[in-house]
Amino acid sequence: MSRPYTFVPPAGVRAYRLPTSRGEFAVLDGAPDGQPKGTALLLPGFTGSKEDFIALHAPLAAAGYRTVAVDGRGQFESEGPRDDETAYAQSELAQDVLAQAAALGTPVHLLGHSLGGQIARAAVLVDSSPFVSLTLMASGPAQISTAQQQRVKLLRDALTVMSMAEVWEAIRAMEPPEETDTGGLDAGLDDLADLRRRWLGNSPAQLVATGRQLCVEPDRVAELVAVPLPKHVISGERDDTWPVSLLDTMAVRLDARRTVVEGAEHSPNADQPLETARALAGFWDSTAR
């Protein structure tokens, strides 16, 4: 589970609901003081939320970019059915992304973290015209690792017989001690109360449906090669969801820029935000040239 250091938007970042042709989506929107060089749409991963990108807004605004991080359908503060998995088919989530991009009213740099990367890929395979570039952050070419598939299956099984609150308590009980304490978290999180609030905001149907997608996603890199967008593959130097070597190979297959963020794992956006922001801004700047 991703762990943003705070759930409080920094100065200059607005929280609001973005109206689109497919409903409203909760966003955090950060912009530079002057005219932005470009706008980026940021999609979070499985069990994550828009807050996972909260440490990127300020450095990317300083680099001249507007950043709009979004809760997907059924994630945290974006509404979605709690017992209808059909609403969370990957094709439906891809259409949501296209609607979000259209609502922003400008061509956007699209970034997806983990599950968000596979949803972003699905969106550009439907229609790449709203986008300036595609960044896949810690998001691999096909299904997640066997170990992670087992964890996701355990979660899906639990959700069939337990409430979200009961599953939260089970997750907390299973975490190793170093992840159970609040070290490294903002004191305002009040002993992980905000993480619990985010968990309870998720739709169980969304978690079941997207968890299944992560376990069966086919390799669509060959399709993505044909999409005429600049591409960027960025990750930490360690990752237990997709091996880093697999991400290296995917970048070669895509002829994509490759960034490995030192000192980061599956969430470089949270682990090393300044270095991650520099890499993103550098890539986006290169697309303008």
Side-chain angles (χ1 to χ4, degrees), residues 31-79:
D33 290 336
Q35 183 70 20
K37 295 179 184 177
T39 297
L41 178 62
L42 313 178
L43 312 182
F46 186 62
T47 75
S49 69
K50 60 191 178 303
E51 286 74 18
D52 293 345
F53 303 107
I54 210 162
L56 294 182
H57 291 291
L60 287 172
Y65 287 94
R66 178 189 177 195
T67 46
V68 182
V70 60
D71 286 337
R73 182 180 303 276
Q75 280 186 319
F76 191 25
E77 295 179 326
S78 288
E79 294 179 0

Side-chain angles (χ1 to χ4, degrees), residues 9 16 19 29 35 43 62 78 117 119 189 191 217 235 255-256 281 284:
Y16 64 93
D29 188 334
Q35 183 70 20
L43 312 182
S78 288
I119 295 170
L189 285 173
D191 195 25
E217 178 74 3
S235 73
D255 192 23
W284 296 336

Side-chain angles (χ1 to χ4, degrees), residues 10-167:
V13 175
R14 295 188 300 128
Y16 64 93
R17 303 187 69 80
L18 177 71
T20 80
S21 61
R22 291 176 62 84
E24 293 186 342
F25 295 88
V27 303
L28 293 176
D29 188 334
D33 290 336
Q35 183 70 20
K37 295 179 184 177
T39 297
L41 178 62
L42 313 178
L43 312 182
F46 186 62
T47 75
S49 69
K50 60 191 178 303
E51 286 74 18
D52 293 345
F53 303 107
I54 210 162
L56 294 182
H57 291 291
L60 287 172
Y65 287 94
R66 178 189 177 195
T67 46
V68 182
V70 60
D71 286 337
R73 182 180 303 276
Q75 280 186 319
F76 191 25
E77 295 179 326
S78 288
E79 294 179 0
R82 298 187 71 80
D83 56 3
D84 178 9
E85 293 181 35
T86 62
Y88 305 107
Q90 189 183 79
S91 58
E92 293 295 322
L93 300 178
Q95 289 295 333
D96 287 347
V97 174
L98 293 170
Q100 293 156 10
L104 292 176
T106 185
V108 301
H109 297 281
L110 182 60
L111 180 152
H113 173 235
S114 195
L115 170 71
Q118 297 197 334
I119 295 170
R121 178 172 73 179
V124 302
L125 287 173
V126 173
D127 183 5
S128 65
S129 63
F131 306 109
V132 180
S133 71
L134 173 66
T135 295
L136 303 176
M137 177 182 285
S139 186
Q143 72 273 10
I144 55 178
S145 68
T146 300
Q148 291 300 315
Q149 288 183 45
Q150 292 170 347
R151 289 170 63 96
V152 169
K153 183 180 185 302
L154 183 62
L155 172 61
R156 286 165 42 204
D157 289 347
L159 287 170
T160 64
V161 296
M162 301 167 69
S163 70
M164 289 290 286
E166 290 169 333
V167 172

